[in-house]
Amino acid sequence: MARSGTRPVITLRSTAGTGHTYVTRKSRRNDPDRLLLRKYDPTLGQHVVFREER
């Protein structure tokens, strides 16, 4: 089964500068802008904002 172009794989990078990343999928139709999610950064030991990188 082919992967859909409307739900690409994106990388979320920590804004704290630790270099930690998460990989997820998103809908281009519903979220055309860059995604910002608050997730746990294990290097820092707390929740921080992760931003989609292109």
Side-chain angles (χ1 to χ4, degrees):
M1 180 181 269
R3 296 265 170 139
S4 173
T6 59
R7 294 194 63 83
V9 175
I10 61 165
T11 303
L12 299 171
R13 184 168 301 277
S14 174
T15 57
T18 59
H20 190 76
T21 60
Y22 282 98
V23 178
T24 187
R25 299 176 71 92
K26 78 165 193 174
S27 172
R28 282 189 183 156
R29 189 175 304 144
N30 295 336
D31 298 315
D33 300 328
R34 288 192 183 184
L35 197 59
L36 293 173
L37 292 176
R38 187 169 161 86
K39 295 184 73 66
Y40 184 75
D41 188 337
T43 308
L44 202 58
Q46 61 187 5
H47 285 80
V48 295
V49 175
F50 279 72
R51 182 180 177 153
E52 174 186 348
E53 74 173 16
R54 292 185 178 161

